[in-house]
Amino acid sequence: MTQKIALWSIPISLAVLALKLLAWWLTGSVALLSDAMESTVNVAAALLAYFAVRVANKPPDENHPFGHKKAEYLSAVVEGVLIVLAAFLIIREAVLALPTPHLEDAPFLGIAVNVIATGVNGAWAYLLLKIGKREGSPALEASARHIFTDVMTSAGVIAGLLLALVTGWLILDPILAILVALNILWEGWKVIRASVDGLMDVSLSDHDLQVVSSTIESNLGAALEYHDLKGRRSANVIFVEFHLVVDGAMSVSAAHDICNEIEHALERLYPGSVFFIHLEPDDEMKGNGAKPSQVS
């Protein structure tokens, strides 16, 4: 599903770019030019996301026994860098236009074309974010957030241009472009930061840790307790490890059955994920004076 959606992003981003370039050509607005320049990043990002999703969906192999999911984080980092680059290019164009702001003879037609492009972008971003969250795809979520930024940018540009036309203050055009670029810079930074966290194996969110903890507690069976719970996420797959304490007299087979019950319960919540359980006899904890704990 994610691969098909990522593929569709390419022609849709190209169509939106074409509409925004037409809007710029009709108006001569540097703000609309900046909006179109951001859409060129959408095209590059759509290509990146498609190839990243293709790689991420490959099964584990000899060289990548834990899979290829982090390819999506790499794609999202590159997309964030492209967003920041687009922002700096927009600022450059806007600063150059400050001394002599102007608009062409058909501004309202150009604005109408941009409104159509913005509507297409908004609908597609909503669908991408919905599917990205459902499938746990960082690449699709990053693309969706970038496109939502584009939608907000376009809405601001349209409102600013209408104000400039009504008041005759054409200087609002390049000023608006600069404000748009600053917002894009912030969004680009957020995409980069979130993606780097994924590459650096940041811990699971508090919510996910609580879900995992509750699931373990509900399926402890004859086990005594657990501790040293740790987890990380790689796209839609989580990796969890913890120590499970059982009665020292319990058979290996019985302890293994408890581990299976816990793993199956977690697997139902996080399909395709990986769980590492280290078994400990209770006399080992007593011997080293360890105190039971759950999450570390």
Side-chain angles (χ1 to χ4, degrees):
M1 181 64 172
T2 55
Q3 190 169 322
K4 184 183 293 185
I5 291 295
L7 180 60
W8 269 104
S9 287
I10 298 172
I12 289 175
S13 61
L14 284 169
V16 170
L17 173 60
L19 287 171
K20 289 190 175 184
L21 286 173
L22 176 60
W24 164 66
W25 180 74
L26 288 169
T27 62
S29 163
V30 69
L32 287 184
L33 174 61
S34 67
D35 200 16
M37 288 176 66
E38 187 183 1
S39 289
T40 63
V41 180
N42 287 352
V43 175
L47 290 167
L48 281 170
Y50 172 66
F51 288 110
V53 168
R54 284 190 63 182
V55 173
N57 284 338
K58 289 182 178 180
D61 55 36
E62 185 176 346
N63 292 325
H64 305 88
F66 294 101
H68 304 77
K69 294 295 184 180
K70 286 194 176 182
E72 293 201 38
Y73 291 118
L74 287 171
S75 166
V77 168
V78 174
E79 181 171 345
V81 172
L82 288 174
I83 293 171
V84 170
L85 178 60
F88 282 119
L89 291 174
I90 292 168
I91 290 173
R92 177 182 178 276
E93 292 296 323
V95 169
L96 291 175
L98 278 172
T100 55
H102 72 283
L103 294 175
E104 300 295 340
D105 294 333
F108 289 106
L109 179 58
I111 290 172
V113 172
N114 196 273
V115 168
I116 294 171
T118 301
V120 173
N121 248 0
W124 186 244
Y126 174 78
L127 182 62
L128 275 180
L129 188 61
K130 183 178 179 180
I131 295 175
K133 284 183 176 295
R134 188 184 70 200
E135 302 293 330
S137 170
L140 291 186
E141 285 193 52
S143 292
R145 289 195 174 92
H146 179 203
I147 296 172
F148 270 129
T149 303
D150 195 11
V151 170
M152 290 187 293
T153 296
S154 299
V157 165
I158 291 167
L161 279 179
L162 289 174
L163 181 61
L165 289 170
V166 170
T167 62
W169 299 342
L170 298 187
I171 192 69
L172 289 174
D173 182 36
I175 290 175
L176 185 61
I178 293 172
L179 293 175
V180 164
L182 293 176
N183 180 58
I184 293 170
L185 273 175
W186 174 242
E187 291 298 323
W189 162 246
K190 288 197 292 185
V191 169
I192 293 171
R193 183 180 61 185
S195 304
V196 169
D197 277 347
L199 290 172
M200 295 295 291
D201 290 336
V202 69
S203 174
L204 285 177
S205 67
D206 291 341
H207 171 73
D208 281 327
L209 282 174
Q210 185 57 51
V211 170
V212 170
S213 179
S214 299
T215 304
I216 295 172
E217 290 174 4
S218 300
N219 293 274
L220 279 177
L224 302 178
E225 63 95 23
Y226 71 98
H227 59 98
D228 288 346
L229 172 63
K230 301 173 184 175
R232 64 180 176 87
R233 177 178 290 278
S234 184
N236 60 338
V237 171
I238 68 169
F239 294 82
V240 171
E241 62 178 79
F242 60 93
H243 292 214
L244 185 68
V245 181
V246 298
D247 190 321
M250 180 179 288
S251 69
V252 173
S253 177
H256 183 261
D257 288 342
I258 296 173
C259 291
N260 279 342
E261 285 295 321
I262 295 173
E263 288 180 355
H264 291 157
L266 290 170
E267 175 71 23
R268 285 192 291 271
L269 294 173
Y270 301 96
S273 295
V274 180
F275 310 102
F276 302 95
I277 304 176
H278 175 73
L279 278 174
E280 290 182 5
D282 61 337
D283 52 359
E284 179 178 312
M285 288 191 69
K286 294 173 185 175
N288 59 30
K291 298 180 74 173
S293 62
Q294 293 186 331
V295 180
S296 67

